[in-house]
Structures are given as structure tokens and as C-alpha cells.
């Protein structure tokens, strides 16, 4: 009891100090707007948005690494790992509890939430979006949910920019711009791809690209990239050793890959909607979590490549270790036959979409960005393997893997430029620019007659925006 008055005095002093700091900060905000003007305020905020947006991206990546490292210690060295049956279910249940009990808001489809804010809410996002998606997606993916972190990271970065703009009472136009700067910085930090991040803001977030907007986007993208390099090193997410440039005689095969990627994208979009509609029939969220978690665990048990984001498996096929994707699978014995191996790769392409849809529709939080890259990489590998093995060609498999990634991104997200520039920057060069352009364009044209909306704008339409 003797310590209570001391604590009360300390709390009162702390409150007084915080109140004084807040008053000074509000005065500083007013001074900044009055002294340097709105345009310069936007430029200054674009820098800080880049800093904070990149910071949250770095934090999320490190949180995921920390979570997977801890859980990975529980995996036995045996060929068949039964923990794959349990971990995804646990992750979905924990994520659902966090979202329902603590956040009390919808966190699914992060990019669609950003788009809705751009269209309906004058670029305003809630404060909890700065941290809520970061925590929820880390739990989901860390426990093996077959989704990506990119959409939650984009939402988090966008929320940083939006709330900074709201604090400085910027106009709706500038609030939208700051939102786009936040998402640009976050995406640039993830992939170390500043050009692709800016293109994403224009092509996917539908930001009006004006002279006044381009400089803040450039500042945020450059800031995010530099901070990512400083804290995470210069290594990019995917290790891609380019061994050859494209050859003109291979152009028809890139067109074939574009058509194949387009039909894979149509399947991706329709299967995603089918699973979500089927899971939506279960009104009880606990039943959805149970069904989704158990089905997902079963799929990951048979196909361990679906555990988490899947970039390790993409790196494996890029570096010529395709047979390593059979590790810890109960059907690893089938890899002896090349035909059966190709059937397995086809199943990976088809079932990955189901695993992703089960994760998001049963209560997990994550995005489709990483699954697009995963499915695209395996699609390019599949086409190149068939053409090389059965037609006796000598196509560069790595080039087709990269082109397939751009093709599926162009088809699913209906954002061909984002796919082209992202893959070009991931290879730290533009030697494959023409094949990427051909594959992405053909994939986009293949999808367009079948699907009016992209994976993001479809959700936006369902939200009534």
C-alpha cells in the first residue's frame, strides 16, 4: 500500500510529460504546414512514410523468420513429418482468435481493403491496420498457412502513410498519395524492386500518375529499398542465376507459355472463388477453422511444398534441385519416373490454389502475391520440362520459370506491367525483358475474355465499391 502514492505521482507526471509532448508535436505539425507549404510537406512525409513503411516490412519478415525458426526446431528429421497435419490448423485458430477477439475487424484480402479505402474512404485507413495485419499474417504463415505476406505488408505500409496524412490533415488527394507511398515503400522493401513498387501503385492501386505524385512515390520507393538493403543485405528474395539471354527462335515457346499461364490464371481465380463460396456456407467460424485447418494440414502433409510462402521451393527449382520438393512427402517414391514427376508438378500447380484458398477462407490472413509467384514458377518449369523432354528442345528452364511468374501475375492480378518489372528487377537486370513482355501480355489477353475482374477488383466489387 505504501507504493500506491508513489505510483500515482509517477503516473501523473508521466501523463503531464506526454501531454506536453503531444501539444508540442501538434504545434510542430502546424508550423511545418505553414512554413514549408503543402507540397513540401508531402515530400517530407513521403520520406518518413518510406522509412516507416520499410520498417514494418522488415519487422514482418524478421517476425516470420523468428516464428519459423522456433517451430522448425519441433520438426523431426524423419522423412514423413506428422506435425504438418497440426501446425496449419493451430495457426488458423490462433489467427482467427486474434482477429475476432482483439482486432474485431476484417483483415482478409489486404490489397482489396486498400483499394476500397482509395475509392470509398478518401484514402483513410484505421490505425489498427498499422499492426494488426502484421501480427495476424505472421501467425498464419509462420504456422504453415499457404499464403504470402506481401498483401498484409502492403496494407500495413498503406496504413502508415494514410495515418500520417490524417495526422497532418492533408487533403483527400494527398491522403491517397501518402497511402500509395506507404504501400510503395513496403513493397520496395520486400523485393528490393523500387520500379515494380511504383508500377504496382499505379497499375493495381489505380493511383493517378501525375507530376505531383511521381516524386513522392520515387522518394518512398528509394527509401524503402535502401533501408531494406541496409538491414537485410543486398541479397534478393529469390536467388536467380541467369545463365543465358533469350533467343529469337524461342519466342513461339514463350507465347505458348503465355497461353498456358493465362489458363492457369483463370483456374486460379475460379478455384479461389469456388473454395471461398463453399467455405462461406458455414456460418460458424469455428467450424470453418476446423474444416479449413484439417484439409489444409492434409494437403501440406502430402505436399510439404505448400508449407508457408513457398519461396524455398521456387528457389529449389530455379537452382536445379527440383527433386528436393519431394522431401518429407509420403509419396516421395514416385519421383523415379519422369512422367510421374511431371504429373506431380501439375498437381502442385493445381492444388496450391486450393491450399491458399483454404487458408484465407477458414480464418487465416495472407495474400495471393506469393502464391501467384509460386504457381507461375512451377507453370514455367512444367512447360519447359515437357518441351525439352518430349520434343528434344534445349530451352533455358530458368528463363521459363521467370516468364511463368510474370505470366501468372499478369493473369491473376491483371497487372502485366507489375509482373514484368518485378521479375526483371528480381533478376537484377533486364536481359529477359522481351520474353517477360510477351508472356505477360499473352497471359493477360488469354484471361481477359474469361474474367472481367482481377483477384483484387473482384473483392472490391463484392464489397460494393
Amino acid at each position: 500500500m505504501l507504493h500506491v502514492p508513489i505510483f500515482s505521482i509517477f503516473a501523473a507526471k508521466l501523463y503531464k510529460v506526454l501531454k506536453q509532448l503531444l501539444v508540442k508535436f501538434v504545434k510542430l505539425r502546424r508550423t511545418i504546414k505553414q512554413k514549408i507549404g503543402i507540397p513540401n510537406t508531402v515530400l517530407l512525409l513521403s520520406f518518413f512514410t518510406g522509412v516507416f513503411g520499410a520498417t514494418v516490412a522488415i519487422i514482418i519478415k524478421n517476425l516470420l523468420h523468428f516464428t519459423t525458426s522456433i517451430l522448425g526446431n519441433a520438426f523431426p528429421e524423419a522423412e514423413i513429418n506428422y506435425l504438418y497435419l497440426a501446425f496449419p490448423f493451430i495457426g488458423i485458430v490462433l489467427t482467427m482468435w486474434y482477429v475476432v477477439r482483439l482486432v474485431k475487424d476484417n483483415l482478409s484480402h489486404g490489397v482489396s481493403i486498400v483499394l476500397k479505402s482509395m475509392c470509398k474512404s478518401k484514402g483513410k485507413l484505421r490505425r489498427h491496420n498499422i499492426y494488426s495485419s502484421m501480427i495476424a499474417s505472421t501467425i498464419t504463415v509462420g504456422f504453415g498457412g499457404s499464403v504470402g505476406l506481401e498483401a498484409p505488408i502492403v496494407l500495413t505500409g498503406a496504413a502508415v502513410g494514410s495515418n500520417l496524412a490524417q495526422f497532418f490533415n492533408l487533403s483527400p488527394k494527398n491522403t491517397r498519395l501518402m497511402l500509395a507511398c506507404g504501400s510503395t515503400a513496403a513493397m520496395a522493401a520486400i523485393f528490393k524492386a523500387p520500379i515494380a513498387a511504383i508500377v504496382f501503385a499505379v497499375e493495381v492501386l489505380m493511383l493517378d500518375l501525375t507530376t505531383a505524385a511521381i516524386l513522392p512515390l520515387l522518394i518512398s520507393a528509394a527509401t524503402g529499398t535502401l533501408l531494406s538493403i541496409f538491414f537485410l543485405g543486398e541479397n534478393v528474395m529469390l536467388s536467380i542465376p541467369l545463365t543465358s539471354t533469350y533467343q529469337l527462335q524461342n519466342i513461339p515457346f514463350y507465347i505458348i507459355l503465355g497461353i498456358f499461364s493465362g489458363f492457369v490464371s483463370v483456374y486460379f481465380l475460379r478455384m479461389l472463388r469456388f473454395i471461398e463460396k463453399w467455405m462461406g456456407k458455414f456460418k460458424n467460424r469455428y467450424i470453418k477453422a476446423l474444416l479449413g485447418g484439417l484439409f489444409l494440414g492434409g494437403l501440406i502433409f502430402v505436399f510439404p511444398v505448400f508449407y508457408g510462402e513457398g519461396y524455398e521451393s521456387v528457389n529449389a527449382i530455379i537452382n536445379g534441385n527440383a527433386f528436393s520438393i519431394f522431401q518429407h512427402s509420403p509419396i516421395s517414391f514416385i519421383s523415379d519416373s519422369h512422367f510421374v514427376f511431371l504429373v506431380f508438378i501439375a498437381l502442385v500447380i493445381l492444388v496450391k490454389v486450393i491450399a491458399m484458398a483454404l487458408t484465407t477462407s477458414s480464418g487465416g490472413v495472407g495474400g495471393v502475391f506469393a502464391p501467384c509467384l509460386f504457381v507461375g514458377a512451377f507453370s514455367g518449369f512444367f512447360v519447359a520440362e515437357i518441351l525439352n523432354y518430349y520434343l528434344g528442345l534445349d530451352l533455358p528452364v530458368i528463363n521459363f520459370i521467370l516468364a511463368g511468374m510474370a505470366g501468372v501475375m499478369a493473369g491473376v492480378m491483371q497487372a502485366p506491367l507489375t509482373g514484368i518489372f518485378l521479375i526483371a528487377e528480381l533478376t537484377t537486370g533486364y536481359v529477359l525483358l522481351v520474353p517477360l513482355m510477351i508472356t505477360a501480355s499473352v497471359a493477360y489477353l488469354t484471361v481477359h475474355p474469361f474474367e472481367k475482374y482481377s483477384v483484387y477488383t473482384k473483392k472490391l466489387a463484392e464489397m460494393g465499391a
Side-chain angles (χ1 to χ4, degrees), residues 9 11 27 49 80 106 126 140 151 205 236 303 334 427 451:
I9 294 171
K27 289 181 179 178
T49 299
I80 299 177
N106 179 25
R126 298 180 180 181
T140 299
L205 300 185
V236 293
F303 300 93
I334 68 173
T427 61
E451 293 291 337

Side-chain angles (χ1 to χ4, degrees), residues 238-241 311-322 398 401:
L238 299 174
S239 177
I240 304 174
Y311 288 124
E312 297 84 359
S313 300
V314 174
N315 269 322
I317 63 172
I318 285 175
N319 290 285
N321 301 319
I398 293 176
I401 290 173

Side-chain angles (χ1 to χ4, degrees), residues 3 132 300 451:
H3 297 287
S132 55
I300 293 176
E451 293 291 337

Side-chain angles (χ1 to χ4, degrees), residues 33-271:
K33 293 179 68 175
Q34 290 175 348
K35 296 294 184 181
I36 69 175
I38 294 298
N40 292 329
T41 300
V42 170
L43 294 179
L44 182 64
L45 289 181
S46 67
F47 168 74
F48 285 108
T49 299
V51 172
F52 296 133
T55 300
V56 296
I58 294 167
I59 290 173
I60 292 176
K61 280 297 180 182
N62 281 282
L63 279 175
L64 177 63
H65 177 73
F66 177 73
T67 304
T68 52
S69 297
I70 293 177
L71 297 177
N73 293 330
F75 287 164
E77 295 296 328
E79 276 297 314
I80 299 177
N81 195 337
Y82 291 97
L83 288 177
Y84 285 135
L85 294 169
F87 275 10
F89 170 71
I90 295 171
I92 287 174
V93 170
L94 289 176
T95 304
M96 184 194 66
W97 179 86
Y98 169 75
V99 173
V100 173
R101 297 296 182 184
L102 300 181
V103 179
K104 299 178 181 179
D105 195 8
N106 179 25
L107 297 181
S108 61
H109 304 290
V111 176
S112 296
I113 294 174
V114 175
L115 282 170
K116 183 180 179 181
S117 173
M118 294 279 283
C119 298
K120 287 283 193 178
S121 306
K122 300 178 181 179
K124 294 181 179 180
L125 286 167
R126 298 180 180 181
R127 291 176 185 171
H128 74 75
N129 289 127
I130 296 175
Y131 62 86
S132 55
S133 292
M134 178 170 60
I135 297 172
S137 60
T138 301
I139 297 172
T140 299
V141 180
F143 277 86
S146 197
V147 287
L149 289 175
E150 291 78 15
I153 289 175
V154 167
L155 174 57
T156 303
V160 169
S162 173
N163 280 275
L164 271 177
Q166 292 177 61
F167 182 80
F168 281 86
N169 292 325
L170 297 185
S171 65
K173 179 181 178 180
N174 286 326
T175 300
R176 293 188 184 96
L177 177 57
M178 286 298 101
L179 179 150
C181 286
S183 66
T184 298
M187 186 172 172
I190 302 168
F191 294 108
K192 299 182 181 69
I195 303 295
I198 294 174
V199 173
F200 176 84
V202 176
E203 190 175 33
V204 177
L205 300 185
M206 297 180 287
L207 178 73
D208 291 333
L209 188 61
T210 62
T211 305
I214 189 63
L215 190 55
L217 289 174
L218 287 170
I219 293 172
S220 295
T223 305
T225 304
L226 290 174
L227 281 175
S228 181
I229 293 173
F230 181 79
F231 286 103
L232 301 179
E234 295 187 9
N235 294 329
V236 293
M237 183 179 294
L238 299 174
S239 177
I240 304 174
L242 279 181
T243 56
S244 63
T245 59
Y246 74 95
Q247 297 176 330
L248 288 177
Q249 63 264 29
N250 292 338
I251 294 300
F253 303 112
Y254 287 108
I255 296 174
I256 293 173
L257 176 59
I259 296 171
F260 181 79
S261 299
F263 283 112
V264 168
S265 300
V266 173
Y267 165 80
F268 189 113
L269 293 167
R270 295 191 176 182
M271 180 56 71

